[in-house]
């Protein structure tokens, strides 16, 4: 028997308890101490009942081989040491036995290891489920979607060298026999402001550096590739390399992934042309001449125009002027308005961000098309979403990211703390309630329609202010004070506002909130891209500009609010499983344990309350008819 546990130390006492329901004292300190003991002995997984806690080891662990895959297949949870494979196997078996869709919600802050956890889940399912060549093809796509979406959707941030800058919910669909024969990705809110600016010691999206490092000599010439410090969309942060990342090798993987997914060769070429075109676009600068912007060096227009298949003269015109509809004595006519330097910069950046986002959406769509199946049988959903973020300076993106995290915490509370306690009360079992912080108040503060929460106020301010909306952010701050100023989870500060999230207080800088929320791409720029000689580029801009322009455009915050609520509805229809990821340090180094960081996360993830509810309850619960069936 001993050999079966080749990586579990026989001396169990020395590595704490592997299910924290069994802790002798349930205090925050005891929980942290137990996780620390296990972490320093290289056990990164611990249970609270069926919830898996995973601590980021910042190194490769030896227990993710085929041998473990065999060990965990069909085994009961308590037979082996805690492992993400045990949770995944459990999900897969539940789906088959109960004929129910499953989902796993992976939460934790930026850099806690969520994306890696999602990869292990996909890898395990791919290994243990059978199937012929058709199924193998779907498995390949499921596994290859990772490097492709990471190249275009992940970046180095201060917190994390491979940070997901978008959220994704990946559904793996199965046949009745348990073979993965389809799938579907929903993506959320790509952080597109990163394309045009990054903070110090951060990078733009990986794909830019991959292309500059990994392109073949003929591609380098065709794309006008220079070193990263030449491009102003890459040189603001002073960071080009990431420890342990081989951009050149990753580029080959990215291109191979496009191949496997079935993106045609000519589209692959044009995707790279757009990525290079964005970099060259960023180098176009403007000088102010008598309040009007002029392109400083017109030579710099040629190359991006060539890559994007548009006329350089038209590009120049659209970057420095805009068509506006004006009404004169009841007649409406369109006039050309010349832009100033700031507006021209804004227009150039808007074009770059739009191009990038649309390429990203195209890739997600291509993956979905490659694994679409005509009808749904069973599925396992994996939610890997950007973690909670607190930076020195937090803007609109952090506000949206943290809102989605707040919603996920809410599901966790609803299903593990609230519903579980109510179940006992309904069943008439004697129960003394366990207190916990219900963060619904924070969700309401952000998304309520009536009385209006922050997002509603934001949308109203955006709807009433036109054009560039100078001073809009200031107006927003005043309106927020009036609407939610007295809310216990809201405060004003000189440059914005503070929200008391479940994971801590975050101060948001109001600067740019309205502009990023409005998120409108000017018709001029759409028209410009529709004039491209490349069919693929035209296809990314399918808008019909002649239809009615009067309707209120959807804002970024209303999109994310809708997406978050749709996601919650999807998750609520599945049997949920949870992985709570913990980031043990800020140094990103193995064996480094920062007590206060760990403790803070244990507190806000509500692990103590979670253990208390589990302990007070019954270990085994199954609905009567399922029990009979079993």
């Amino acid at each position: 028997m001993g050999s079966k546990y080749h990586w579990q130390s026989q001396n169990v006492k020395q590595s704490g308890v592997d299910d924290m329901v069994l802790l002798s004292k349930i205090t925050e300190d005891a929980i942290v101490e137990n996780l620390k003991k296990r972490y320093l002995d290289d056990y990164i997984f611990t249970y609270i009942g069926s919830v898996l806690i995973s601590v980021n080891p910042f190194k490769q662990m030896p227990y993710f081989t085929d041998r473990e895959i065999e060990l965990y297949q069909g085994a009961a949870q308590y037979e082996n040491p805690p492992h993400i494979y045990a949770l995944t196997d459990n999900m897969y078996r539940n789906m088959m036995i109960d004929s129910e869709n499953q989902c796993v919600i992976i939460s934790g802050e930026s850099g806690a290891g969520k994306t890696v956890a999602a990869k292990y889940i996909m890898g395990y399912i791919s290994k243990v489920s059978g199937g012929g060549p058709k199924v193998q093809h779907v498995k390949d796509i499921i596994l290859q979607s990772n490097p492709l979406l990471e190249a275009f959707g992940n970046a180095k941030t201060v917190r994390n060298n491979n940070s997901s800058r978008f959220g994704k919910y990946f559904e793996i669909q199965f046949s009745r026999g348990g073979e993965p024969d389809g799938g579907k990705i929903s993506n959320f809110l790509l952080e597109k402001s990163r394309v045009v600016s990054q903070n110090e010691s951060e990078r733009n999206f990986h794909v830019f550096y991959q292309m500059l490092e990994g392109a073949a000599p003929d591609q380098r010439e065709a794309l006008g590739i220079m070193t990263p410090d030449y491009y102003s969309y890459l040189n603001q942060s002073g960071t080009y390399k990431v420890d342990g990342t081989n951009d050149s090798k990753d580029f080959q993987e990215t291109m191979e992934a496009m191949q496997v997914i079935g993106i045609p060769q000519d589209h692959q070429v044009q995707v790279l042309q757009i990525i290079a075109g964005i970099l060259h676009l960023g180098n176009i600068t403007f000088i102010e001449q008598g309040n009007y912007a002029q392109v400083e060096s017109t030579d710099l227009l040629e190359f991006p125009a060539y890559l994007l298949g548009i006329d350089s003269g038209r590009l120049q015109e659209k970057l420095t002027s805009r068509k506006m509809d004006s009404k004169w004595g009841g007649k409406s006519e369109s006039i050309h308005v010349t832009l100033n330097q700031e507006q021209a910069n804004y227009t150039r950046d808007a074009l770059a961000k739009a191009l990038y986002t649309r390429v990203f959406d195209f890739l997600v769509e291509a993956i979905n098309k490659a694994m679409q199946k005509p009808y749904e049988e069973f599925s396992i959903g994996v939610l890997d979403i950007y973690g909670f973020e607190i930076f020195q300076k937090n803007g609109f993106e952090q506000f949206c990211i943290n809102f989605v995290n707040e919603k996920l915490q809410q599901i966790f509370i609803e299903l593990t703390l609230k519903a579980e306690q109510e179940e006992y009360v309904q069943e008439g079992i004697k129960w003394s309630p366990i207190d916990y912080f219900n963060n619904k108040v924070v969700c309401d503060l952000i998304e309520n329609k009536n009385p209006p929460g922050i997002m509603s106020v934001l949308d109203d301010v955006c709807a009433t202010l036109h054009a560039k909306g100078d001073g809009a952010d200031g107006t927003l701050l005043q309106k927020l004070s009036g609407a939610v100023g007295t809310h216990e989870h809201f405060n004003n500060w000189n440059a914005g506002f503070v929200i008391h999230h479940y994971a801590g207080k975050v101060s948001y800088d109001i600067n740019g909130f309205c502009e990023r929320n409005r998120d409108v791409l000017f018709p001029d720029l759409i028209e410009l891209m529709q004039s491209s000689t490349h069919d693929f580029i035209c296809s990314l801009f399918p808008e019909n500009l002649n239809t009615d322009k009067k309707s209120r455009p959807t804002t970024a915050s209303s999109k994310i609010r809708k997406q978050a609520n749709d996601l919650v509805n999807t998750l609520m229809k599945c049997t949920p499983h949870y992985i709570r990821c913990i980031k043990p340090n800020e140094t990103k180094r193995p064996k480094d344990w920062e007590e206060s960081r760990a403790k803070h996360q244990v507190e806000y993830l509500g692990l103590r309350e979670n253990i208390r509810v589990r302990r007070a309850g019954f270990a085994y619960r199954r609905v009567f008819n399922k029990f009979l069936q079993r």
Side-chain angles (χ1 to χ4, degrees), residues 112-358:
K114 295 179 297 299
T115 298
V116 177
K119 283 192 231 178
Y120 282 132
I121 292 171
M122 289 175 179
Y124 182 85
I125 289 173
S126 171
K127 280 280 188 4
V128 302
S129 53
K134 156 122 183 29
V135 169
Q136 193 47 53
H137 179 62
V138 170
K139 287 182 183 181
D140 288 344
I141 294 167
I142 289 171
L143 298 176
Q144 286 292 335
S145 67
N146 275 322
L148 184 56
L149 292 179
E150 283 189 15
F152 285 84
N154 290 23
K156 175 195 180 339
T157 65
V158 181
R159 285 278 144 85
N160 177 357
N161 288 343
N162 184 26
S163 179
S164 306
R165 308 314 299 161
F166 69 107
K168 73 170 183 211
Y169 184 59
F170 199 120
E171 277 172 278
I172 304 173
Q173 296 166 341
F174 296 86
S175 66
R176 298 256 164 226
E179 297 171 343
D181 58 354
K184 182 173 153 224
I185 299 177
S186 321
N187 63 314
F188 305 85
L189 187 89
L190 180 75
E191 183 195 39
K192 57 182 169 203
S193 58
R194 181 169 296 272
V195 175
V196 301
S197 69
Q198 309 86 40
N199 296 327
E200 205 179 322
S201 19
E202 300 202 348
R203 291 207 311 180
N204 207 324
F205 292 103
H206 295 326
V207 68
F208 291 112
Y209 309 88
Q210 289 182 4
M211 179 181 68
L212 299 187
E213 285 289 315
D218 54 328
Q219 285 176 308
R220 304 184 78 81
E221 195 169 324
L223 299 170
I225 285 179
M226 312 291 253
T227 51
D229 53 4
Y230 168 77
Y231 300 104
S232 63
Y233 281 165
L234 304 181
N235 65 18
Q236 310 160 21
S237 69
T239 303
Y240 306 112
K241 293 261 181 279
V242 178
D243 288 347
T245 300
N246 178 339
D247 288 314
S248 176
K249 185 172 138 288
D250 290 348
F251 181 66
Q252 308 316 323
E253 277 182 25
T254 300
M255 297 316 289
E256 191 183 318
M258 283 201 213
Q259 202 60 41
V260 172
I261 283 150
I263 295 172
Q265 200 58 45
D266 59 324
H267 285 181
Q268 292 181 29
V269 170
Q270 294 193 21
V271 165
L272 293 182
Q273 282 179 304
I274 295 173
I275 296 302
I278 289 171
L279 291 179
H280 289 286
L281 201 57
N283 281 7
I284 298 172
T285 49
F286 305 96
I287 42 174
E288 187 107 7
Q289 291 220 322
N291 260 352
Y292 300 135
Q294 275 188 340
V295 173
E296 193 169 356
S297 154
T298 48
D299 309 355
L300 290 175
L301 290 161
E302 296 301 328
F303 210 75
Y306 155 73
L307 286 171
L308 298 171
I310 53 182
D311 175 74
S312 63
R314 281 190 73 167
L315 175 62
Q316 178 172 8
E317 178 199 336
K318 295 297 184 196
L319 290 178
T320 51
S321 69
R322 183 172 311 146
K323 268 210 311 255
M324 299 282 271
D325 292 334
S326 74
K327 286 197 167 42
W328 272 99
K331 271 212 323 263
S332 91
E333 55 173 354
S334 68
I335 50 171
H336 269 269
V337 179
T338 341
L339 306 179
N340 63 24
Q341 191 180 6
E342 191 191 351
Q343 291 167 325
N345 280 327
Y346 174 78
T347 305
R348 175 200 63 209
D349 290 351
L351 179 57
K353 290 188 290 193
L355 279 164
Y356 194 83
T357 313
R358 290 178 186 220

Side-chain angles (χ1 to χ4, degrees), residues 73-74 89-98 124 128:
Q73 237 182 301
D89 196 73
N90 184 357
M91 269 200 297
Y92 183 61
R93 309 280 154 223
N94 277 3
M95 175 185 76
M96 299 303 293
I97 293 166
D98 298 336
Y124 182 85
V128 302

